[in-house]
Amino acid sequence: MPKQVTLSLGEDNARLLVVDKRRVVSWSSTALDPSLSDSDPKDLGRQIKGLLQSVGVKAGRVRLIVEVHSPAVLTRYLKLPRIPRRYMAKVVTSELKDTIPFAIDEVDISWQASRNGKGWHVLTFCIPNDVIDRYAQALKAASIRSITAYPKSLALAHAVAERDAVILNLEPSGTDITLVI
């Protein structure tokens, strides 16, 4: 079974990357029907399942890292004072309320915190619930049981599972450079 499988769903295509022990094993892509964005997520799920099958990955036996592609994904960096970890979720939510253009109950909030000498550095991700729900319905229709969803830069970093790396993502629409430190 492959170590990492990453799926990137764009507006008009889906790309799959399979990595095993620091080595790209296979990759594939397929064009998506533009009308799928307004249709039943099961249609998208069938296309995802076909893409997985094209590289020999069995949908029910893989942990999939999914790149959440949406202009509505927000990333925020917070500096917090030294507080006990048990209060972090409430403090992070409170700090985000005033900095995002959505109601706090309309987004899924994920965060990672690291302690420094004076407090906490917190990297947060806010993804609208409707975006996450759509991804979840499509992946369920594709028989994917285990997923982790990230914005593109974090998905790429997890895909290569390396520290101290530079990831260059070249696409017709633009270039992303991700520094993993």
Side-chain angles (χ1 to χ4, degrees):
M1 183 164 77
K3 183 176 181 182
Q4 295 285 349
V5 179
T6 301
L7 174 67
S8 174
L9 293 172
E11 291 179 19
D12 60 356
N13 65 28
R15 296 181 309 265
L16 193 69
L17 176 69
V18 181
V19 178
D20 189 17
K21 296 179 183 174
R22 299 179 159 185
R23 184 173 67 85
V24 174
V25 176
S26 60
W27 65 89
S28 186
S29 65
T30 188
L32 295 176
D33 182 347
S35 67
L36 288 179
S37 61
D38 299 324
S39 68
D40 186 349
K42 291 178 183 178
D43 294 333
L44 180 57
R46 283 189 279 280
Q47 284 196 293
I48 293 169
K49 192 170 189 174
L51 185 61
L52 289 165
Q53 290 171 343
S54 75
V55 295
V57 174
K58 293 186 179 186
R61 297 185 180 193
V62 67
R63 179 171 176 78
L64 192 67
I65 296 173
V66 179
E67 172 211 330
V68 177
H69 175 79
S70 171
V73 174
L74 300 175
T75 304
R76 296 288 187 264
Y77 171 75
L78 304 173
K79 279 186 175 181
L80 299 178
R82 187 176 225 162
I83 57 172
R85 189 174 269 286
R86 68 180 176 267
Y87 299 120
M88 287 292 286
K90 286 184 180 183
V91 172
V92 166
T93 301
S94 177
E95 290 289 318
L96 285 175
K97 277 184 194 177
D98 298 329
T99 66
I100 61 173
F102 304 104
I104 209 74
D105 61 343
E106 294 176 354
V107 293
D108 180 69
I109 300 171
S110 299
W111 51 273
Q112 295 177 338
S114 62
R115 182 176 273 173
N116 67 10
K118 299 176 185 175
W120 295 93
H121 294 284
V122 184
L123 183 60
T124 65
F125 303 99
C126 302
I127 304 170
N129 291 333
D130 61 333
V131 172
I132 289 293
D133 292 346
R134 177 149 179 75
Y135 275 77
Q137 291 170 8
L139 294 169
K140 183 178 179 181
S143 301
I144 303 295
R145 294 185 190 139
S146 180
I147 68 165
T148 304
Y150 295 107
K152 182 187 290 190
S153 57
L154 210 52
L156 291 170
H158 280 276
V160 296
E162 284 290 325
R163 294 191 64 75
D164 301 324
V166 177
I167 302 169
L168 188 60
N169 181 38
L170 303 170
E171 297 186 35
S173 61
T175 300
D176 294 314
I177 300 172
T178 302
L179 302 175
V180 182
I181 53 174

